[in-house]
């Protein structure tokens, strides 16, 4: 069955929303995601641009400032809930792994 | 030293970003860098061969009729610029970027998002254009099939006509193949990204599409040569002039669109002018082509012999038509070489004559039986001064202006036409 949009978040979606807990300019997110993950996760400019548009349409982030073509965003309550739910899902996955794999060891 | 440029026909489908990227990177490695991407012809500038990275991304809001990039294109360009990507150009909704750092982060790093944007972009141009083309081809194919079954003898008696009849189904298959390929690619890519994979590569359709235009051109040349070889020079000239006129009209429309863009005209105004020029241009083109085709005339040439027969022949049917001097009748003799086709050709020819709307009705044996002609079967209509359709062995013969013939003359007709 096809997944509902943003029902689960990909890594890139997760880290973009994580960066937007504080007000942030869209273009700065590329660098910040790289810093948070130690270079493990990269968000391309095209993907970032499209995801920001989709998050705004889905009401998960909102624009806070527009300076020329530079826009700043911040997470909304809906976005915070989605981020939290994704974190819980990943935490349960990690816990299942620890319980089953480490338990065998 | 002046910079050299070269032009190339772009054969990649709009959604084939992978093929376009690979091609541009190969060209750059040979020292040719994309300067201007048109809708069909791409212009390259010569430079030092280099290993660079190209990326194709899409902005659904973009239009070829905009006087300048829309806000979405400009914003995307700024995002890409931050990551070291330089915009080379755009065509339709596709945006082309280049990066001299081959290890740079890709513009698109999530294929689920990329696929969604491509689908939205293709709805703006690729899908509607190909749907219209496919419907037009299918409509013409339907008319062509009707025409073929309505008068198979004319189509089967000339290689040019036979090739012409096949051109429509071939064209319909090629045009619809692009549309089908796109929907298959979307379906397969959606399934792949759903499970975390990447969009699939349309390698097969890319290879087929590369050969589409050469195949069509070779077929077209063969068809024109076949028609000219049958002696139908007017039809051959018409087809050549029409093709030249068609490409001329396309060039005019592109020039009009670019002129309006340079003048800063809005998208709506540009489209309106484009449509008006297209309609007027199409009518003017047909008028000019018709005039060029039929204005050749025969001045300075010898008058053709009015009684020399005109012959068209393939391995299926030989058709001989002309006029007899004595008695003065017009005729068409069809020799059906393939026995299996005879009954079908006769049935179609009879219904073809009736369906022409000339209210011709063939009735068997009206004129005191068919023995007067020495034919196997005889059908009659009182149109065109008395019209007869006769069959003898594997021949189907039509004769016009036969009402004044005497019984003795009727007996001589088939032998005079070489049918004993």
């Amino acid at each position: 069955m096809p997944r509902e949009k943003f029902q689960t978040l990909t890594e890139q979606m997760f880290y973009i929303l994580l960066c937007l807990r504080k007000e942030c300019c869209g273009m700065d997110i590329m660098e910040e995601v790289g810093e948070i993950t130690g270079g493990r996760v990269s968000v391309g400019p095209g993907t970032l641009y499209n995801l920001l548009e989709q998050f705004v349409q889905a009401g998960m982030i909102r624009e806070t400032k527009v300076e020329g073509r530079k826009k700043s965003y911040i997470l909304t309550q809906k976005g915070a809930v989605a981020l939290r739910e994704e974190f819980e899902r990943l935490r349960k996955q990690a816990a299942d792994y620890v319980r089953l794999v480490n338990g065998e060891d | 030293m002046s910079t050299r440029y070269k032009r190339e026909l772009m054969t990649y489908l709009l959604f084939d970003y992978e093929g376009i990227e690979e091609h541009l990177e190969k060209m750059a490695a040979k020292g040719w860098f994309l300067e201007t991407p048109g809708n069909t012809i791409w212009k390259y500038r010569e430079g030092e061969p280099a290993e660079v990275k190209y990326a194709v991304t899409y902005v659904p809001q973009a239009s070829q009729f905009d006087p300048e990039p829309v806000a979405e294109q400009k914003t995307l360009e700024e995002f890409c610029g931050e990551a070291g990507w330089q915009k080379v150009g755009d065509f339709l909704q596709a945006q082309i970027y280049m990066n001299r750092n081959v290890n740079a982060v890709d513009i698109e790093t999530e294929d689920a998002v990329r696929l969604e944007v491509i689908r939205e972009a293709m709805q703006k141009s690729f899908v509607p254009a190909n749907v219209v083309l496919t419907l037009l081809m299918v409509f013409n194919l339907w008319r062509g099939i009707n025409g073929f079954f309505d008068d198979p003898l004319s189509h089967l008696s000339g290689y040019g006509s036979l090739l012409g009849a096949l051109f429509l189904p071939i064209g319909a298959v090629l045009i619809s193949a692009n549309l089908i390929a796109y929907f298959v690619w979307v379906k397969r890519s959606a399934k792949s990204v759903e499970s975390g994979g990447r969009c699939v590569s349309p390698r097969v359709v890319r290879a087929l599409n590369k050969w589409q235009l050469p195949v069509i051109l070779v077929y077209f040349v063969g068809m024109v040569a076949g028609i000219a070889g049958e002696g139908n020079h007017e039809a051959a000239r018409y087809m050549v002039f029409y093709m030249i006129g068609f490409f001329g009209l396309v060039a005019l429309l592109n020039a009009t669109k670019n002129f309006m863009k340079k003048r800063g005209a809005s998208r709506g105004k540009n489209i309106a002018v484009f449509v008006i020029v297209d309609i007027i241009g199409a009518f003017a083109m047909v008028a000019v082509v018709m005039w060029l085709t039929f204005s050749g005339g025969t001045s300075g040439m010898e008058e053709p012999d009015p009684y020399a027969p005109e012959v068209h022949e393939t391995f299926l049917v030989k058709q001989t038509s002309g006029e007899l001097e004595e008695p003065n009748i017009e005729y068409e003799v069809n020799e059906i070489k393939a026995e299996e086709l005879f009954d079908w050709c006769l049935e179609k020819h009879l219904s073809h004559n009736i369906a022409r709307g000339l209210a011709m009705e063939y009735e068997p044996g009206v004129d005191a039986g068919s023995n007067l002609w020495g034919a196997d079967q005889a059908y009659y209509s009182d149109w065109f001064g008395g019209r007869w359709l006769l069959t003898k062995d594997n021949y189907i013969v039509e004769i016009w202006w036969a009402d004044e013939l005497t019984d003795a003359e009727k007996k001589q007709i088939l032998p005079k036409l070489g049918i004993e």
Side-chain angles (χ1 to χ4, degrees):
Chain A
M1 197 167 100
R3 191 178 57 203
E4 192 188 296
K5 201 171 180 179
F6 302 138
Q7 188 180 358
T8 58
L9 302 178
T10 63
E11 258 194 320
Q12 294 177 67
M13 293 176 185
F14 181 84
Y15 282 104
I16 292 171
L17 292 177
L18 199 61
C19 289
L20 290 175
R21 286 159 30 256
K22 292 174 294 187
E23 185 184 54
C24 184
C25 173
M27 282 185 254
D28 294 339
I29 293 173
M30 278 187 285
E31 195 178 335
E32 198 163 327
V33 168
E35 278 175 14
I36 293 172
T37 62
R40 185 178 60 80
V41 177
S42 300
V43 182
T47 299
L48 175 61
Y49 167 74
N50 287 309
L51 279 176
L52 286 173
E53 293 292 312
Q54 289 179 19
F55 284 147
V56 167
Q57 280 173 23
M60 293 166 77
I61 64 175
R62 62 178 174 85
E63 277 178 24
T64 54
K65 215 162 44 184
V66 180
E67 288 166 334
R69 224 174 302 285
K70 287 187 195 293
K71 294 180 187 176
S72 296
Y73 304 89
I74 196 163
L75 206 58
T76 61
Q77 182 63 22
K78 186 178 178 184
V81 166
L83 193 57
R84 177 81 196 173
E85 284 176 355
E86 181 65 20
F87 165 69
E88 289 298 330
R89 192 183 69 81
L90 292 168
R91 199 176 59 81
K92 282 174 188 167
Q93 258 183 268
D96 288 337
Y97 176 87
V98 166
R99 181 167 52 81
L100 291 171
V101 174
N102 287 359
E104 282 168 10
D105 295 341
Chain B
M1 200 162 82
S2 61
T3 308
R4 286 206 306 161
Y5 296 90
K6 78 169 180 181
R7 284 171 170 79
E8 186 182 62
L9 185 66
M10 212 284 277
T11 60
Y12 295 91
L13 293 173
L14 183 59
F15 63 92
D16 187 10
Y17 58 87
E18 183 191 74
I20 297 170
E21 288 166 2
E22 283 177 4
H23 179 71
L24 291 177
E25 284 163 8
K26 278 183 191 158
M27 292 293 283
K30 292 181 198 167
W32 291 101
F33 298 86
L34 183 64
E35 175 94 343
T36 318
N39 287 4
T40 43
I41 304 288
W42 284 19
K43 182 179 171 185
Y44 293 83
R45 179 192 77 253
E46 194 179 27
E48 272 301 310
E51 194 184 351
V52 299
K53 210 168 170 181
Y54 278 94
V56 179
T57 185
Y58 300 84
V59 175
Q61 297 84 356
S63 166
Q64 59 178 320
F65 295 101
D66 289 324
E68 56 173 55
V70 295
E72 289 84 355
Q73 283 172 289
K74 290 178 183 172
T75 305
L76 176 64
E77 193 172 347
E78 288 201 16
F79 271 68
C80 291
E82 279 287 314
W85 289 90
Q86 176 196 1
K87 187 169 179 182
V88 174
D90 54 68
F91 70 106
L92 298 175
Q93 285 73 40
Q95 318 292 305
I96 301 176
Y97 286 83
M98 187 186 81
N99 200 320
R100 293 206 173 259
N101 175 10
V102 295
N103 297 314
V105 173
D106 290 336
I107 291 182
E108 301 289 348
T109 48
E110 189 153 311
D111 271 25
V113 176
R114 185 209 297 255
L115 181 62
E116 202 173 323
V117 173
I118 290 177
R119 288 175 79 167
E120 198 184 332
M122 293 306 113
Q123 292 299 326
K124 293 292 173 67
S125 54
F126 180 85
V127 170
N130 278 281
V131 165
V132 167
L133 275 174
T134 300
L135 288 175
L136 274 174
M137 287 304 291
V138 168
F139 172 69
N140 278 313
L141 175 62
W142 172 77
R143 285 185 61 219
I145 290 173
N146 274 341
F148 177 85
F149 283 101
D150 186 48
D151 185 12
L153 287 172
S154 295
H155 289 86
L156 294 174
S157 57
Y159 285 111
S161 312
L162 205 49
L163 286 174
L166 288 173
F167 188 73
L168 286 172
I170 289 172
V173 164
L174 290 175
I175 296 285
S176 59
N178 286 344
L179 201 56
I180 293 167
Y182 167 70
F183 285 118
V184 167
W185 175 82
V186 164
K187 189 170 176 186
R188 292 179 61 209
S189 294
K191 197 171 170 186
S192 174
V193 302
E194 180 69 22
S195 50
R198 308 208 61 183
C199 292
V200 299
S201 173
R203 286 196 186 278
V204 172
V205 75
R206 187 184 305 152
L208 289 174
N209 200 55
K210 204 172 174 182
W211 291 102
Q212 224 180 61
L213 190 60
V215 164
I216 290 174
L217 279 175
V218 166
Y219 191 93
F220 179 77
V221 168
M223 193 169 64
V224 170
I227 289 174
E230 288 166 9
N232 197 345
H233 299 288
E234 275 173 357
R237 273 206 307 271
Y238 177 83
M239 292 175 70
V240 170
F241 288 142
Y242 187 90
M243 197 55 89
I244 293 171
F246 173 78
F247 283 113
L249 181 60
V250 168
L252 172 66
L253 288 172
N254 267 330
T256 303
K257 177 188 68 181
N258 291 333
F259 173 76
M260 294 296 288
K261 280 169 79 163
K262 279 193 183 123
R263 293 281 302 264
S266 68
R267 184 193 291 190
K269 209 178 264 186
N270 198 341
I271 291 174
V273 169
F274 186 91
V275 170
I276 290 168
V277 169
D278 191 10
I279 292 171
I280 295 173
F283 277 108
M285 182 195 85
V286 171
V288 168
V289 165
M290 297 285 277
W291 177 77
L292 284 170
T293 302
F294 297 109
S295 67
T298 56
S299 59
M301 291 169 59
E302 273 184 34
E303 278 292 320
D305 178 3
Y307 302 112
E310 195 175 312
V311 181
H312 301 284
E313 186 173 4
T314 66
F315 68 100
L316 294 170
V317 171
K318 180 179 177 182
Q319 188 178 81
T320 309
S321 55
E323 191 180 337
L324 284 184
E325 190 172 6
E326 190 58 45
N328 191 225
I329 53 140
E330 289 179 29
Y331 65 88
E332 180 182 282
V333 174
N334 291 286
E335 182 190 348
I336 317 300
K337 296 181 188 178
E339 260 182 54
E340 308 78 23
L341 290 179
F342 184 86
D343 289 337
W344 179 75
C345 285
L346 177 62
E347 180 203 332
K348 289 296 168 190
H349 207 60
L350 282 172
S351 57
H352 157 73
N353 282 306
I354 293 166
R356 269 183 190 171
L358 300 179
M360 292 195 293
E361 291 182 1
Y362 284 85
E363 298 174 28
V366 166
D367 197 351
S370 56
N371 287 336
L372 279 171
W373 300 91
D376 296 335
Q377 301 174 68
Y379 299 86
Y380 173 76
S381 163
D382 60 6
W383 279 84
F384 292 109
R387 185 170 182 168
W388 284 88
L389 187 146
L390 312 169
T391 70
K392 174 84 176 175
D393 298 328
N394 61 326
Y395 289 90
I396 297 173
V397 181
E398 277 195 279
I399 294 168
W400 294 263
W401 312 106
D403 271 349
E404 303 296 314
L405 293 179
T406 62
D407 291 352
E409 282 172 332
K410 282 178 184 173
K411 278 189 190 160
Q412 293 301 312
I413 291 295
L414 289 182
K416 278 196 174 181
L417 294 177
I419 303 167
E420 302 291 347

